[in-house]
Amino acid sequence: MYGILDSIASGPIEALTSENSTLVGVGMSMEGIEQNPIVYDLMSEMAFQHKKVDVKDKNRDVIVAFPDVSPSFISLPGERYQHYGKPTSRRAVLREKTNAYEQPHLWYSTSDVIKALQLFIASGNELSSISTYSYDLVDLTRQALAKYANELFLKIIDAYTLKDVDGVTFLSQKFLDLVEDMDTLLASHDGFLLGPWLESAKQLAQNEEEEKQYEWNARTQITMWFDNTEEEASLLRDYGNKYWSGLVRDYYGPRAAIYFELLIESLEKGEEFDMLKWRRKWIKLTNDWQGGRKLFPVKGNGNAVSMSRSLYNKYLRSE
């Protein structure tokens, strides 16, 4: 599936795809457990490969890997680009002088993803009882929405550059609504839940103190490792990002909201975007979330077919 392609190069694959493949057994990708089957295929195959495998492509969707960069480092040349097959007048692109934000990119056609999603939804009445179908449907819908969110973010930066406060406000809220909707979709299948990850960590504990520590460890690994300061984020952040219900709504959404709030504040005050304030608020949000004890569901709830159909109509259907 395309969703698998999205995450093929996340995690420790690149380190294990060299000519020296004798270390493959060591790395059977602990950090990719139960979320990306193609990783295991690649790891197993490397024992029989004599050449390097190109795994430079990687996925950095804005929702799960939000930019730690001032909007002043995102330029808006007057070039045209394709929005799901339709030309659009402007595109936000990162200036070459900074590598602080890795621009989301695609190596496949988004229009093909939309067509695939249409076919998946059309088969819903017949296949909805099959768990693997529901998993792929949720994953494919998530993927299409993630790419839509990437472009929506660029529109927000466009409006900011034009000093359009109303535009930034409107588009920011649309982005946050999309995050909420995506979380609801993800909550419909057991395979996209935060709860099992946290509960599996807590179950290893022998006492309450260990349970708190193990849950903190689990929350930290998928957000930001704890070598940050109040004003400097850890370099080990978001590399273990996940599209999991609970994580999307309670962490990724609020993080994006902080950034958008400061964009609006910058325009209203006529001042530069406050990067220091952004980092302080983001890091505090992260550390507070890591120390939280909120319980999250371990079983999916909802109808994946009806939700996918609804979100397709809301965000992706061609006019």
Side-chain angles (χ1 to χ4, degrees):
M1 294 308 302
Y2 285 105
I4 292 176
L5 291 176
D6 257 0
S7 52
I8 184 171
S10 62
I13 302 176
E14 192 163 356
L16 294 174
T17 53
S18 65
E19 294 176 3
N20 179 9
S21 57
T22 59
L23 296 178
V24 168
V26 176
M28 246 351 220
S29 202
M30 294 186 297
E31 294 162 357
I33 297 232
E34 295 181 358
Q35 64 96 22
N36 192 358
I38 203 170
V39 170
Y40 299 98
D41 289 344
L42 179 59
M43 293 298 126
S44 300
E45 180 66 21
M46 286 312 300
F48 307 96
Q49 293 288 337
H50 301 289
K51 297 180 180 179
K52 292 183 178 181
V53 176
D54 181 9
V55 291
K56 292 181 180 179
D57 287 339
K58 53 186 173 180
N59 179 48
R60 300 295 292 177
D61 290 329
V62 172
I63 290 177
V64 296
F66 207 82
D68 178 29
V69 62
S70 168
S72 64
F73 284 98
I74 302 177
S75 59
L76 294 161
E79 60 188 54
R80 302 184 67 81
Y81 75 114
Q82 295 293 314
H83 171 66
Y84 289 106
K86 297 180 180 180
T88 304
S89 61
R90 301 174 69 89
R91 184 181 188 182
V93 294
L94 190 66
R95 291 175 182 164
E96 293 182 358
K97 67 179 181 180
T98 177
N99 60 2
Y101 170 44
E102 193 168 352
Q103 183 87 9
H105 67 285
L106 292 171
W107 57 99
Y108 54 83
S109 169
T110 54
S111 61
D112 287 346
V113 176
I114 300 300
K115 290 176 183 177
L117 180 56
Q118 289 174 326
L119 294 173
F120 259 69
I121 293 173
S123 303
N125 293 336
E126 180 183 356
L127 303 176
S128 60
S129 62
I130 303 175
S131 179
T132 49
Y133 163 80
S134 297
Y135 182 97
D136 284 346
L137 176 63
V138 170
D139 199 26
L140 190 57
T141 308
R142 169 213 60 79
Q143 182 183 354
L145 291 175
K147 304 315 171 191
Y148 177 80
N150 289 345
E151 296 192 359
L152 188 55
F153 174 76
L154 298 180
K155 290 182 179 180
I156 293 169
I157 299 302
D158 193 346
Y160 176 83
T161 302
L162 296 173
K163 302 188 185 304
D164 180 2
V165 179
D166 292 338
V168 172
T169 302
F170 172 78
L171 293 169
S172 295
Q173 188 57 54
K174 188 173 183 179
F175 186 102
L176 297 176
D177 289 344
L178 172 60
V179 170
E180 289 283 326
D181 286 340
M182 183 183 288
D183 191 275
T184 301
L185 168 72
L186 297 170
S188 68
H189 196 283
D190 295 356
F192 299 92
L193 303 179
L194 171 64
W197 170 257
L198 298 182
E199 293 305 314
S200 64
K202 290 156 63 177
Q203 288 170 8
L204 298 173
Q206 301 296 313
N207 53 58
E208 184 176 355
E209 194 61 31
E210 282 189 357
E211 181 178 295
K212 291 180 180 179
Q213 181 64 46
Y214 292 170
E215 180 175 1
W216 181 88
N217 289 345
R219 286 171 176 256
T220 297
Q221 184 176 349
I222 57 177
T223 52
M224 182 190 297
W225 284 38
F226 204 65
D227 59 339
N228 61 273
T229 67
E230 290 184 356
E231 300 174 356
E232 189 70 27
S234 170
L235 294 178
L236 283 172
R237 60 178 187 270
D238 288 336
Y239 88 104
N241 62 62
K242 301 287 187 291
Y243 279 101
W244 282 344
S245 175
L247 182 61
V248 170
R249 174 178 281 123
D250 283 18
Y251 180 68
Y252 295 142
R255 176 173 64 177
I258 292 172
Y259 193 88
F260 298 150
E261 172 191 329
L262 294 177
L263 286 178
I264 295 169
E265 180 179 290
S266 167
L267 292 177
E268 290 179 339
K269 292 184 176 180
E271 299 174 352
E272 292 292 323
F273 182 84
D274 193 336
M275 281 297 295
L276 188 59
K277 190 173 183 180
W278 147 246
R279 285 178 175 152
R280 284 173 175 167
K281 287 194 167 196
W282 165 35
I283 293 170
K284 183 179 186 305
L285 167 73
T286 302
N287 294 160
D288 288 347
W289 190 86
Q290 290 167 341
R293 301 302 309 278
K294 178 180 176 179
L295 296 176
F296 293 90
V298 295
K299 290 293 182 181
N301 179 44
N303 187 304
V305 175
S306 63
M307 281 188 282
S308 292
R309 183 179 293 116
S310 174
L311 295 180
Y312 169 80
N313 289 333
K314 182 176 182 179
Y315 294 107
L316 304 171
R317 178 184 288 277
S318 298
E319 297 298 334

